[in-house]
Amino acid sequence: MTVTETNLPLIQTPFLQEIVRQIRAQDSLGVYRSWSDELIIKPLILSKEQKRKISVEGDVDPVTQLRITAFYRAIATLVEQQTGLICQVVINLSHEGFGWALVFSGRLLVVSKTLRDAQRFGFESMEKLAAEGEKLTNSAVELAKRYREVAEV
Amino acid sequence: MTVTETNLPLIQTPFLQEIVRQIRAQDSLGVYRSWSDELIIKPLILSKEQKRKISVEGDVDPVTQLRITAFYRAIATLVEQQTGLICQVVINLSHEGFGWALVFSGRLLVVSKTLRDAQRFGFESMEKLAAEGEKLTNSAVELAKRYREVAEV
């Protein structure tokens, strides 16, 4: 089922709910406790204009790194739920905002993305965020089904 | 062929030669130009006693990180030579010396190792270093042959 095929409000769809859960899990000080799910997702939504204003010089700041991790952990969790496999997430960023986002199970990489300008990690709209998350999840689940043996090596 | 089955001097065996090449490649200032291969390998050889003296508090220092990278890049290069596949290396270290060393081709992880106390990365002897490098290379090549399709996804 894709975002457009469900009757749920967008924020209630599985991928966005999982990313909200991941970000709340990082919130050891309880700052987000009174925040709505929409407010928690908001920093991941960046217009082209907003992205352009973020410098790509130097390190990716820790809060952005946590958001990138939350995005890929959400995918990993949905893949685990749909396949029963345990997934690991490795985010590797150089000091210039380049790097890799990897989700793997056993010897199988179910997600393998190069990151570029990670300082500007974000999506134009909540719809695009949900659609990208779903697309990556679905292709990961498909790979895990096709090459299950490699995930179980 | 394993280390013990060749008549070459140990330092001339393929894995050690490749790791020397990787370390020399990082030497942009030419400091190692006059060094012997043995001298270049030497910092990777650590006795238990020497390891115990290295603190595992805090970050893995950059020189040690380069050595870890050289070790896994050497494996990646030998796998490339033996399979014709292109390999990527990702070393991911937390601030506490824990992390992952990954070598992958396409969607196939040919090496997947968790790192612990990476501040103390080293081997008891040149023989053990060569043996470990060969063991990882051989198992990587075997995986690449068995699951070539996944590496070519």
Side-chain angles (χ1 to χ4, degrees), chain A residues 88 90-92 100 102 104 106-112 143 147 149-150 153, chain B residues 88 90-92 100 102 104 106-112 143 147 149-150:
Chain A
Q88 306 289 341
V90 167
I91 308 294
N92 198 273
W100 287 96
L102 305 172
F104 57 99
R107 297 310 191 114
L108 183 66
L109 278 163
V110 292
V111 177
S112 169
L143 274 169
Y147 299 117
E149 187 190 342
V150 183
V153 164
Chain B
Q88 306 289 340
V90 167
I91 308 294
N92 198 272
W100 287 96
L102 304 173
F104 57 99
R107 296 310 190 115
L108 183 66
L109 279 163
V110 291
V111 177
S112 168
L143 273 169
Y147 299 118
E149 186 189 345
V150 183

PDB file of all heavy atoms in Angstrom, chain A residues 88 90-92 100 102 104 106-112 143 147 149-150 153, chain B residues 88 90-92 100 102 104 106-112 143 147 149-150:
ATOM      1  N   GLN A  88      20.816  -3.945  10.823  1.00  0.00           N
ATOM      2  CA  GLN A  88      21.751  -2.982  11.392  1.00  0.00           C
ATOM      3  C   GLN A  88      21.755  -1.725  10.527  1.00  0.00           C
ATOM      4  O   GLN A  88      21.573  -1.819   9.315  1.00  0.00           O
ATOM      5  CB  GLN A  88      23.184  -3.549  11.394  1.00  0.00           C
ATOM      6  CG  GLN A  88      23.322  -4.890  12.077  1.00  0.00           C
ATOM      7  CD  GLN A  88      23.162  -4.805  13.583  1.00  0.00           C
ATOM      8  OE1 GLN A  88      23.293  -3.733  14.173  1.00  0.00           O
ATOM      9  NE2 GLN A  88      22.875  -5.939  14.194  1.00  0.00           N
ATOM     10  N   VAL A  90      24.144   1.619   9.592  1.00  0.00           N
ATOM     11  CA  VAL A  90      25.421   2.313   9.705  1.00  0.00           C
ATOM     12  C   VAL A  90      25.357   3.592   8.864  1.00  0.00           C
ATOM     13  O   VAL A  90      25.088   3.533   7.659  1.00  0.00           O
ATOM     14  CB  VAL A  90      26.607   1.430   9.243  1.00  0.00           C
ATOM     15  CG1 VAL A  90      27.876   2.265   9.070  1.00  0.00           C
ATOM     16  CG2 VAL A  90      26.865   0.315  10.256  1.00  0.00           C
ATOM     17  N   ILE A  91      25.536   4.727   9.530  1.00  0.00           N
ATOM     18  CA  ILE A  91      25.594   6.014   8.820  1.00  0.00           C
ATOM     19  C   ILE A  91      27.040   6.486   8.916  1.00  0.00           C
ATOM     20  O   ILE A  91      27.578   6.639  10.008  1.00  0.00           O
ATOM     21  CB  ILE A  91      24.672   7.078   9.463  1.00  0.00           C
ATOM     22  CG1 ILE A  91      23.244   6.555   9.645  1.00  0.00           C
ATOM     23  CG2 ILE A  91      24.706   8.380   8.653  1.00  0.00           C
ATOM     24  CD1 ILE A  91      22.494   6.263   8.383  1.00  0.00           C
ATOM     25  N   ASN A  92      27.653   6.702   7.777  1.00  0.00           N
ATOM     26  CA  ASN A  92      29.064   7.082   7.768  1.00  0.00           C
ATOM     27  C   ASN A  92      29.221   8.410   7.050  1.00  0.00           C
ATOM     28  O   ASN A  92      29.029   8.483   5.840  1.00  0.00           O
ATOM     29  CB  ASN A  92      29.845   5.994   7.026  1.00  0.00           C
ATOM     30  CG  ASN A  92      31.309   6.069   7.349  1.00  0.00           C
ATOM     31  OD1 ASN A  92      32.040   6.795   6.706  1.00  0.00           O
ATOM     32  ND2 ASN A  92      31.742   5.361   8.363  1.00  0.00           N
ATOM     33  N   TRP A 100      27.893   7.366   3.463  1.00  0.00           N
ATOM     34  CA  TRP A 100      27.034   6.232   3.153  1.00  0.00           C
ATOM     35  C   TRP A 100      25.959   6.072   4.215  1.00  0.00           C
ATOM     36  O   TRP A 100      26.214   6.262   5.396  1.00  0.00           O
ATOM     37  CB  TRP A 100      27.845   4.928   3.161  1.00  0.00           C
ATOM     38  CG  TRP A 100      28.763   4.741   1.996  1.00  0.00           C
ATOM     39  CD1 TRP A 100      30.100   5.045   1.968  1.00  0.00           C
ATOM     40  CD2 TRP A 100      28.434   4.193   0.712  1.00  0.00           C
ATOM     41  NE1 TRP A 100      30.607   4.714   0.744  1.00  0.00           N
ATOM     42  CE2 TRP A 100      29.620   4.190  -0.042  1.00  0.00           C
ATOM     43  CE3 TRP A 100      27.265   3.703   0.155  1.00  0.00           C
ATOM     44  CZ2 TRP A 100      29.658   3.717  -1.354  1.00  0.00           C
ATOM     45  CZ3 TRP A 100      27.300   3.230  -1.147  1.00  0.00           C
ATOM     46  CH2 TRP A 100      28.482   3.249  -1.893  1.00  0.00           C
ATOM     47  N   LEU A 102      23.732   2.842   5.234  1.00  0.00           N
ATOM     48  CA  LEU A 102      23.628   1.407   4.967  1.00  0.00           C
ATOM     49  C   LEU A 102      22.666   0.758   5.950  1.00  0.00           C
ATOM     50  O   LEU A 102      22.724   1.032   7.153  1.00  0.00           O
ATOM     51  CB  LEU A 102      25.002   0.741   5.090  1.00  0.00           C
ATOM     52  CG  LEU A 102      26.148   1.321   4.245  1.00  0.00           C
ATOM     53  CD1 LEU A 102      27.479   0.671   4.629  1.00  0.00           C
ATOM     54  CD2 LEU A 102      25.875   1.127   2.758  1.00  0.00           C
ATOM     55  N   PHE A 104      21.595  -3.225   6.760  1.00  0.00           N
ATOM     56  CA  PHE A 104      21.922  -4.581   6.332  1.00  0.00           C
ATOM     57  C   PHE A 104      21.464  -5.617   7.338  1.00  0.00           C
ATOM     58  O   PHE A 104      21.249  -5.334   8.510  1.00  0.00           O
ATOM     59  CB  PHE A 104      23.432  -4.735   6.062  1.00  0.00           C
ATOM     60  CG  PHE A 104      24.336  -4.390   7.210  1.00  0.00           C
ATOM     61  CD1 PHE A 104      24.869  -5.391   8.015  1.00  0.00           C
ATOM     62  CD2 PHE A 104      24.671  -3.077   7.488  1.00  0.00           C
ATOM     63  CE1 PHE A 104      25.736  -5.077   9.076  1.00  0.00           C
ATOM     64  CE2 PHE A 104      25.522  -2.757   8.542  1.00  0.00           C
ATOM     65  CZ  PHE A 104      26.050  -3.751   9.334  1.00  0.00           C
ATOM     66  N   GLY A 106      22.552  -9.687   8.084  1.00  0.00           N
ATOM     67  CA  GLY A 106      23.528 -10.700   7.694  1.00  0.00           C
ATOM     68  C   GLY A 106      24.469 -10.111   6.666  1.00  0.00           C
ATOM     69  O   GLY A 106      25.053  -9.051   6.891  1.00  0.00           O
ATOM     70  N   ARG A 107      24.601 -10.754   5.505  1.00  0.00           N
ATOM     71  CA  ARG A 107      25.502 -10.265   4.465  1.00  0.00           C
ATOM     72  C   ARG A 107      24.780  -9.495   3.368  1.00  0.00           C
ATOM     73  O   ARG A 107      25.363  -9.209   2.323  1.00  0.00           O
ATOM     74  CB  ARG A 107      26.252 -11.449   3.852  1.00  0.00           C
ATOM     75  CG  ARG A 107      27.148 -12.181   4.832  1.00  0.00           C
ATOM     76  CD  ARG A 107      28.072 -11.218   5.595  1.00  0.00           C
ATOM     77  NE  ARG A 107      29.099 -11.936   6.334  1.00  0.00           N
ATOM     78  CZ  ARG A 107      30.390 -11.849   6.052  1.00  0.00           C
ATOM     79  NH1 ARG A 107      30.801 -11.058   5.091  1.00  0.00           N
ATOM     80  NH2 ARG A 107      31.260 -12.534   6.765  1.00  0.00           N
ATOM     81  N   LEU A 108      23.504  -9.179   3.604  1.00  0.00           N
ATOM     82  CA  LEU A 108      22.712  -8.499   2.576  1.00  0.00           C
ATOM     83  C   LEU A 108      22.479  -7.033   2.913  1.00  0.00           C
ATOM     84  O   LEU A 108      21.933  -6.701   3.971  1.00  0.00           O
ATOM     85  CB  LEU A 108      21.350  -9.209   2.428  1.00  0.00           C
ATOM     86  CG  LEU A 108      20.424  -8.680   1.340  1.00  0.00           C
ATOM     87  CD1 LEU A 108      21.010  -8.908  -0.055  1.00  0.00           C
ATOM     88  CD2 LEU A 108      19.049  -9.321   1.437  1.00  0.00           C
ATOM     89  N   LEU A 109      22.892  -6.147   1.998  1.00  0.00           N
ATOM     90  CA  LEU A 109      22.616  -4.715   2.151  1.00  0.00           C
ATOM     91  C   LEU A 109      21.235  -4.443   1.554  1.00  0.00           C
ATOM     92  O   LEU A 109      21.080  -4.446   0.331  1.00  0.00           O
ATOM     93  CB  LEU A 109      23.656  -3.906   1.386  1.00  0.00           C
ATOM     94  CG  LEU A 109      24.989  -3.681   2.080  1.00  0.00           C
ATOM     95  CD1 LEU A 109      26.038  -3.242   1.061  1.00  0.00           C
ATOM     96  CD2 LEU A 109      24.840  -2.622   3.158  1.00  0.00           C
ATOM     97  N   VAL A 110      20.262  -4.186   2.409  1.00  0.00           N
ATOM     98  CA  VAL A 110      18.921  -3.939   1.879  1.00  0.00           C
ATOM     99  C   VAL A 110      18.746  -2.473   1.479  1.00  0.00           C
ATOM    100  O   VAL A 110      17.915  -2.151   0.636  1.00  0.00           O
ATOM    101  CB  VAL A 110      17.814  -4.417   2.852  1.00  0.00           C
ATOM    102  CG1 VAL A 110      17.812  -5.937   2.947  1.00  0.00           C
ATOM    103  CG2 VAL A 110      17.942  -3.787   4.219  1.00  0.00           C
ATOM    104  N   VAL A 111      19.519  -1.589   2.101  1.00  0.00           N
ATOM    105  CA  VAL A 111      19.578  -0.187   1.653  1.00  0.00           C
ATOM    106  C   VAL A 111      21.050   0.194   1.544  1.00  0.00           C
ATOM    107  O   VAL A 111      21.833  -0.086   2.445  1.00  0.00           O
ATOM    108  CB  VAL A 111      18.881   0.779   2.642  1.00  0.00           C
ATOM    109  CG1 VAL A 111      19.031   2.228   2.178  1.00  0.00           C
ATOM    110  CG2 VAL A 111      17.412   0.426   2.829  1.00  0.00           C
ATOM    111  N   SER A 112      21.420   0.802   0.438  1.00  0.00           N
ATOM    112  CA  SER A 112      22.795   1.254   0.226  1.00  0.00           C
ATOM    113  C   SER A 112      22.730   2.579  -0.523  1.00  0.00           C
ATOM    114  O   SER A 112      22.524   2.610  -1.719  1.00  0.00           O
ATOM    115  CB  SER A 112      23.535   0.187  -0.591  1.00  0.00           C
ATOM    116  OG  SER A 112      24.772   0.681  -1.039  1.00  0.00           O
ATOM    117  N   LEU A 143      14.204  -7.053  -1.670  1.00  0.00           N
ATOM    118  CA  LEU A 143      15.547  -7.664  -1.685  1.00  0.00           C
ATOM    119  C   LEU A 143      15.677  -8.741  -0.606  1.00  0.00           C
ATOM    120  O   LEU A 143      16.234  -9.816  -0.854  1.00  0.00           O
ATOM    121  CB  LEU A 143      16.616  -6.598  -1.433  1.00  0.00           C
ATOM    122  CG  LEU A 143      17.130  -5.826  -2.630  1.00  0.00           C
ATOM    123  CD1 LEU A 143      17.976  -4.649  -2.154  1.00  0.00           C
ATOM    124  CD2 LEU A 143      17.970  -6.734  -3.537  1.00  0.00           C
ATOM    125  N   TYR A 147      16.625 -12.486  -1.585  1.00  0.00           N
ATOM    126  CA  TYR A 147      17.946 -13.018  -1.197  1.00  0.00           C
ATOM    127  C   TYR A 147      17.988 -13.341   0.300  1.00  0.00           C
ATOM    128  O   TYR A 147      18.975 -13.060   0.970  1.00  0.00           O
ATOM    129  CB  TYR A 147      19.041 -12.018  -1.559  1.00  0.00           C
ATOM    130  CG  TYR A 147      19.113 -11.721  -3.041  1.00  0.00           C
ATOM    131  CD1 TYR A 147      18.873 -10.440  -3.517  1.00  0.00           C
ATOM    132  CD2 TYR A 147      19.411 -12.731  -3.954  1.00  0.00           C
ATOM    133  CE1 TYR A 147      18.939 -10.167  -4.888  1.00  0.00           C
ATOM    134  CE2 TYR A 147      19.472 -12.462  -5.317  1.00  0.00           C
ATOM    135  CZ  TYR A 147      19.234 -11.175  -5.769  1.00  0.00           C
ATOM    136  OH  TYR A 147      19.299 -10.906  -7.116  1.00  0.00           O
ATOM    137  N   GLU A 149      18.496 -15.960   1.867  1.00  0.00           N
ATOM    138  CA  GLU A 149      19.635 -16.819   2.237  1.00  0.00           C
ATOM    139  C   GLU A 149      20.871 -15.980   2.613  1.00  0.00           C
ATOM    140  O   GLU A 149      21.597 -16.316   3.542  1.00  0.00           O
ATOM    141  CB  GLU A 149      19.945 -17.723   1.040  1.00  0.00           C
ATOM    142  CG  GLU A 149      20.999 -18.785   1.311  1.00  0.00           C
ATOM    143  CD  GLU A 149      21.439 -19.486   0.023  1.00  0.00           C
ATOM    144  OE1 GLU A 149      20.710 -19.406  -0.994  1.00  0.00           O
ATOM    145  OE2 GLU A 149      22.521 -20.098   0.039  1.00  0.00           O
ATOM    146  N   VAL A 150      21.096 -14.895   1.856  1.00  0.00           N
ATOM    147  CA  VAL A 150      22.271 -14.046   2.102  1.00  0.00           C
ATOM    148  C   VAL A 150      22.121 -13.285   3.428  1.00  0.00           C
ATOM    149  O   VAL A 150      23.100 -13.046   4.145  1.00  0.00           O
ATOM    150  CB  VAL A 150      22.474 -13.063   0.927  1.00  0.00           C
ATOM    151  CG1 VAL A 150      23.722 -12.222   1.136  1.00  0.00           C
ATOM    152  CG2 VAL A 150      22.554 -13.823  -0.387  1.00  0.00           C
ATOM    153  N   VAL A 153      23.096 -15.771   6.202  1.00  0.00           N
ATOM    154  CA  VAL A 153      24.434 -16.403   6.193  1.00  0.00           C
ATOM    155  C   VAL A 153      25.037 -16.372   7.600  1.00  0.00           C
ATOM    156  O   VAL A 153      24.998 -15.345   8.254  1.00  0.00           O
ATOM    157  CB  VAL A 153      25.393 -15.669   5.221  1.00  0.00           C
ATOM    158  CG1 VAL A 153      26.848 -16.058   5.507  1.00  0.00           C
ATOM    159  CG2 VAL A 153      25.043 -16.004   3.787  1.00  0.00           C
TER     160      VAL A 153
ATOM    161  N   GLN B  88      33.603  -1.472  -1.944  1.00  0.00           N
ATOM    162  CA  GLN B  88      33.631  -0.270  -1.112  1.00  0.00           C
ATOM    163  C   GLN B  88      34.036  -0.646   0.305  1.00  0.00           C
ATOM    164  O   GLN B  88      33.690  -1.737   0.765  1.00  0.00           O
ATOM    165  CB  GLN B  88      32.243   0.381  -1.051  1.00  0.00           C
ATOM    166  CG  GLN B  88      31.628   0.687  -2.398  1.00  0.00           C
ATOM    167  CD  GLN B  88      32.319   1.822  -3.115  1.00  0.00           C
ATOM    168  OE1 GLN B  88      33.009   2.631  -2.481  1.00  0.00           O
ATOM    169  NE2 GLN B  88      32.159   1.885  -4.416  1.00  0.00           N
ATOM    170  N   VAL B  90      33.748   0.732   4.279  1.00  0.00           N
ATOM    171  CA  VAL B  90      33.212   1.697   5.238  1.00  0.00           C
ATOM    172  C   VAL B  90      33.664   1.288   6.642  1.00  0.00           C
ATOM    173  O   VAL B  90      33.397   0.170   7.081  1.00  0.00           O
ATOM    174  CB  VAL B  90      31.666   1.774   5.173  1.00  0.00           C
ATOM    175  CG1 VAL B  90      31.103   2.531   6.380  1.00  0.00           C
ATOM    176  CG2 VAL B  90      31.214   2.454   3.890  1.00  0.00           C
ATOM    177  N   ILE B  91      34.397   2.189   7.293  1.00  0.00           N
ATOM    178  CA  ILE B  91      34.804   1.969   8.683  1.00  0.00           C
ATOM    179  C   ILE B  91      34.024   2.957   9.525  1.00  0.00           C
ATOM    180  O   ILE B  91      34.086   4.165   9.302  1.00  0.00           O
ATOM    181  CB  ILE B  91      36.323   2.222   8.889  1.00  0.00           C
ATOM    182  CG1 ILE B  91      37.169   1.441   7.879  1.00  0.00           C
ATOM    183  CG2 ILE B  91      36.733   1.901  10.338  1.00  0.00           C
ATOM    184  CD1 ILE B  91      37.122  -0.050   8.005  1.00  0.00           C
ATOM    185  N   ASN B  92      33.269   2.446  10.461  1.00  0.00           N
ATOM    186  CA  ASN B  92      32.420   3.307  11.274  1.00  0.00           C
ATOM    187  C   ASN B  92      32.778   3.143  12.741  1.00  0.00           C
ATOM    188  O   ASN B  92      32.545   2.089  13.317  1.00  0.00           O
ATOM    189  CB  ASN B  92      30.963   2.891  11.041  1.00  0.00           C
ATOM    190  CG  ASN B  92      30.016   3.968  11.489  1.00  0.00           C
ATOM    191  OD1 ASN B  92      29.632   4.002  12.635  1.00  0.00           O
ATOM    192  ND2 ASN B  92      29.675   4.873  10.604  1.00  0.00           N
ATOM    193  N   TRP B 100      31.930  -0.701  13.181  1.00  0.00           N
ATOM    194  CA  TRP B 100      31.839  -1.690  12.118  1.00  0.00           C
ATOM    195  C   TRP B 100      32.938  -1.482  11.093  1.00  0.00           C
ATOM    196  O   TRP B 100      33.287  -0.343  10.764  1.00  0.00           O
ATOM    197  CB  TRP B 100      30.503  -1.548  11.367  1.00  0.00           C
ATOM    198  CG  TRP B 100      29.310  -2.014  12.109  1.00  0.00           C
ATOM    199  CD1 TRP B 100      28.457  -1.238  12.847  1.00  0.00           C
ATOM    200  CD2 TRP B 100      28.788  -3.363  12.183  1.00  0.00           C
ATOM    201  NE1 TRP B 100      27.453  -2.024  13.373  1.00  0.00           N
ATOM    202  CE2 TRP B 100      27.631  -3.324  12.978  1.00  0.00           C
ATOM    203  CE3 TRP B 100      29.206  -4.587  11.644  1.00  0.00           C
ATOM    204  CZ2 TRP B 100      26.885  -4.463  13.256  1.00  0.00           C
ATOM    205  CZ3 TRP B 100      28.459  -5.712  11.924  1.00  0.00           C
ATOM    206  CH2 TRP B 100      27.315  -5.656  12.721  1.00  0.00           C
ATOM    207  N   LEU B 102      33.174  -2.669   7.236  1.00  0.00           N
ATOM    208  CA  LEU B 102      32.370  -3.292   6.190  1.00  0.00           C
ATOM    209  C   LEU B 102      33.081  -3.188   4.852  1.00  0.00           C
ATOM    210  O   LEU B 102      33.622  -2.133   4.503  1.00  0.00           O
ATOM    211  CB  LEU B 102      31.007  -2.579   6.080  1.00  0.00           C
ATOM    212  CG  LEU B 102      30.161  -2.498   7.369  1.00  0.00           C
ATOM    213  CD1 LEU B 102      28.938  -1.613   7.145  1.00  0.00           C
ATOM    214  CD2 LEU B 102      29.735  -3.887   7.826  1.00  0.00           C
ATOM    215  N   PHE B 104      31.977  -4.083   0.895  1.00  0.00           N
ATOM    216  CA  PHE B 104      30.827  -4.570   0.147  1.00  0.00           C
ATOM    217  C   PHE B 104      30.949  -4.283  -1.336  1.00  0.00           C
ATOM    218  O   PHE B 104      31.691  -3.407  -1.774  1.00  0.00           O
ATOM    219  CB  PHE B 104      29.506  -3.996   0.686  1.00  0.00           C
ATOM    220  CG  PHE B 104      29.427  -2.493   0.717  1.00  0.00           C
ATOM    221  CD1 PHE B 104      28.775  -1.793  -0.286  1.00  0.00           C
ATOM    222  CD2 PHE B 104      29.984  -1.777   1.779  1.00  0.00           C
ATOM    223  CE1 PHE B 104      28.676  -0.398  -0.247  1.00  0.00           C
ATOM    224  CE2 PHE B 104      29.887  -0.386   1.821  1.00  0.00           C
ATOM    225  CZ  PHE B 104      29.235   0.297   0.812  1.00  0.00           C
ATOM    226  N   GLY B 106      28.136  -4.062  -4.545  1.00  0.00           N
ATOM    227  CA  GLY B 106      26.698  -4.080  -4.818  1.00  0.00           C
ATOM    228  C   GLY B 106      25.951  -4.230  -3.505  1.00  0.00           C
ATOM    229  O   GLY B 106      26.189  -3.486  -2.557  1.00  0.00           O
ATOM    230  N   ARG B 107      25.089  -5.226  -3.419  1.00  0.00           N
ATOM    231  CA  ARG B 107      24.308  -5.433  -2.199  1.00  0.00           C
ATOM    232  C   ARG B 107      24.886  -6.524  -1.312  1.00  0.00           C
ATOM    233  O   ARG B 107      24.228  -6.953  -0.371  1.00  0.00           O
ATOM    234  CB  ARG B 107      22.861  -5.787  -2.583  1.00  0.00           C
ATOM    235  CG  ARG B 107      22.125  -4.693  -3.309  1.00  0.00           C
ATOM    236  CD  ARG B 107      22.244  -3.347  -2.572  1.00  0.00           C
ATOM    237  NE  ARG B 107      21.351  -2.367  -3.153  1.00  0.00           N
ATOM    238  CZ  ARG B 107      20.323  -1.853  -2.488  1.00  0.00           C
ATOM    239  NH1 ARG B 107      20.096  -2.203  -1.241  1.00  0.00           N
ATOM    240  NH2 ARG B 107      19.544  -0.975  -3.077  1.00  0.00           N
ATOM    241  N   LEU B 108      26.100  -6.976  -1.621  1.00  0.00           N
ATOM    242  CA  LEU B 108      26.710  -8.080  -0.872  1.00  0.00           C
ATOM    243  C   LEU B 108      27.827  -7.586   0.054  1.00  0.00           C
ATOM    244  O   LEU B 108      28.796  -6.973  -0.392  1.00  0.00           O
ATOM    245  CB  LEU B 108      27.276  -9.111  -1.849  1.00  0.00           C
ATOM    246  CG  LEU B 108      27.878 -10.376  -1.219  1.00  0.00           C
ATOM    247  CD1 LEU B 108      26.810 -11.206  -0.520  1.00  0.00           C
ATOM    248  CD2 LEU B 108      28.590 -11.209  -2.288  1.00  0.00           C
ATOM    249  N   LEU B 109      27.676  -7.872   1.336  1.00  0.00           N
ATOM    250  CA  LEU B 109      28.731  -7.566   2.311  1.00  0.00           C
ATOM    251  C   LEU B 109      29.702  -8.733   2.333  1.00  0.00           C
ATOM    252  O   LEU B 109      29.386  -9.800   2.871  1.00  0.00           O
ATOM    253  CB  LEU B 109      28.124  -7.409   3.702  1.00  0.00           C
ATOM    254  CG  LEU B 109      27.492  -6.067   4.024  1.00  0.00           C
ATOM    255  CD1 LEU B 109      26.581  -6.185   5.235  1.00  0.00           C
ATOM    256  CD2 LEU B 109      28.567  -5.031   4.292  1.00  0.00           C
ATOM    257  N   VAL B 110      30.882  -8.532   1.764  1.00  0.00           N
ATOM    258  CA  VAL B 110      31.839  -9.641   1.741  1.00  0.00           C
ATOM    259  C   VAL B 110      32.648  -9.705   3.044  1.00  0.00           C
ATOM    260  O   VAL B 110      33.152 -10.754   3.423  1.00  0.00           O
ATOM    261  CB  VAL B 110      32.768  -9.599   0.497  1.00  0.00           C
ATOM    262  CG1 VAL B 110      31.960  -9.909  -0.762  1.00  0.00           C
ATOM    263  CG2 VAL B 110      33.497  -8.283   0.376  1.00  0.00           C
ATOM    264  N   VAL B 111      32.775  -8.563   3.735  1.00  0.00           N
ATOM    265  CA  VAL B 111      33.346  -8.556   5.086  1.00  0.00           C
ATOM    266  C   VAL B 111      32.418  -7.744   5.971  1.00  0.00           C
ATOM    267  O   VAL B 111      31.992  -6.649   5.593  1.00  0.00           O
ATOM    268  CB  VAL B 111      34.762  -7.917   5.122  1.00  0.00           C
ATOM    269  CG1 VAL B 111      35.285  -7.858   6.561  1.00  0.00           C
ATOM    270  CG2 VAL B 111      35.734  -8.676   4.239  1.00  0.00           C
ATOM    271  N   SER B 112      32.090  -8.262   7.120  1.00  0.00           N
ATOM    272  CA  SER B 112      31.233  -7.559   8.065  1.00  0.00           C
ATOM    273  C   SER B 112      31.743  -7.880   9.461  1.00  0.00           C
ATOM    274  O   SER B 112      31.488  -8.951   9.994  1.00  0.00           O
ATOM    275  CB  SER B 112      29.788  -8.052   7.872  1.00  0.00           C
ATOM    276  OG  SER B 112      28.975  -7.608   8.934  1.00  0.00           O
ATOM    277  N   LEU B 143      32.393 -15.838  -0.686  1.00  0.00           N
ATOM    278  CA  LEU B 143      31.044 -15.250  -0.678  1.00  0.00           C
ATOM    279  C   LEU B 143      30.733 -14.586  -2.013  1.00  0.00           C
ATOM    280  O   LEU B 143      29.632 -14.716  -2.553  1.00  0.00           O
ATOM    281  CB  LEU B 143      30.929 -14.210   0.431  1.00  0.00           C
ATOM    282  CG  LEU B 143      30.528 -14.693   1.816  1.00  0.00           C
ATOM    283  CD1 LEU B 143      30.718 -13.573   2.830  1.00  0.00           C
ATOM    284  CD2 LEU B 143      29.068 -15.148   1.824  1.00  0.00           C
ATOM    285  N   TYR B 147      27.585 -15.712  -4.191  1.00  0.00           N
ATOM    286  CA  TYR B 147      26.439 -14.806  -4.339  1.00  0.00           C
ATOM    287  C   TYR B 147      26.757 -13.673  -5.314  1.00  0.00           C
ATOM    288  O   TYR B 147      26.418 -12.521  -5.065  1.00  0.00           O
ATOM    289  CB  TYR B 147      26.043 -14.243  -2.974  1.00  0.00           C
ATOM    290  CG  TYR B 147      25.637 -15.307  -1.987  1.00  0.00           C
ATOM    291  CD1 TYR B 147      26.350 -15.507  -0.819  1.00  0.00           C
ATOM    292  CD2 TYR B 147      24.528 -16.135  -2.233  1.00  0.00           C
ATOM    293  CE1 TYR B 147      25.978 -16.497   0.096  1.00  0.00           C
ATOM    294  CE2 TYR B 147      24.137 -17.119  -1.330  1.00  0.00           C
ATOM    295  CZ  TYR B 147      24.887 -17.292  -0.170  1.00  0.00           C
ATOM    296  OH  TYR B 147      24.518 -18.271   0.722  1.00  0.00           O
ATOM    297  N   GLU B 149      25.484 -12.753  -7.983  1.00  0.00           N
ATOM    298  CA  GLU B 149      24.276 -12.049  -8.430  1.00  0.00           C
ATOM    299  C   GLU B 149      23.958 -10.864  -7.507  1.00  0.00           C
ATOM    300  O   GLU B 149      23.550  -9.798  -7.974  1.00  0.00           O
ATOM    301  CB  GLU B 149      23.116 -13.051  -8.454  1.00  0.00           C
ATOM    302  CG  GLU B 149      21.845 -12.481  -9.037  1.00  0.00           C
ATOM    303  CD  GLU B 149      20.659 -13.431  -8.831  1.00  0.00           C
ATOM    304  OE1 GLU B 149      20.888 -14.621  -8.501  1.00  0.00           O
ATOM    305  OE2 GLU B 149      19.519 -12.962  -8.986  1.00  0.00           O
ATOM    306  N   VAL B 150      24.129 -11.061  -6.186  1.00  0.00           N
ATOM    307  CA  VAL B 150      23.804 -10.012  -5.213  1.00  0.00           C
ATOM    308  C   VAL B 150      24.816  -8.855  -5.308  1.00  0.00           C
ATOM    309  O   VAL B 150      24.475  -7.691  -5.113  1.00  0.00           O
ATOM    310  CB  VAL B 150      23.779 -10.607  -3.784  1.00  0.00           C
ATOM    311  CG1 VAL B 150      23.382  -9.555  -2.758  1.00  0.00           C
ATOM    312  CG2 VAL B 150      22.825 -11.792  -3.721  1.00  0.00           C
TER     313      VAL B 150
END
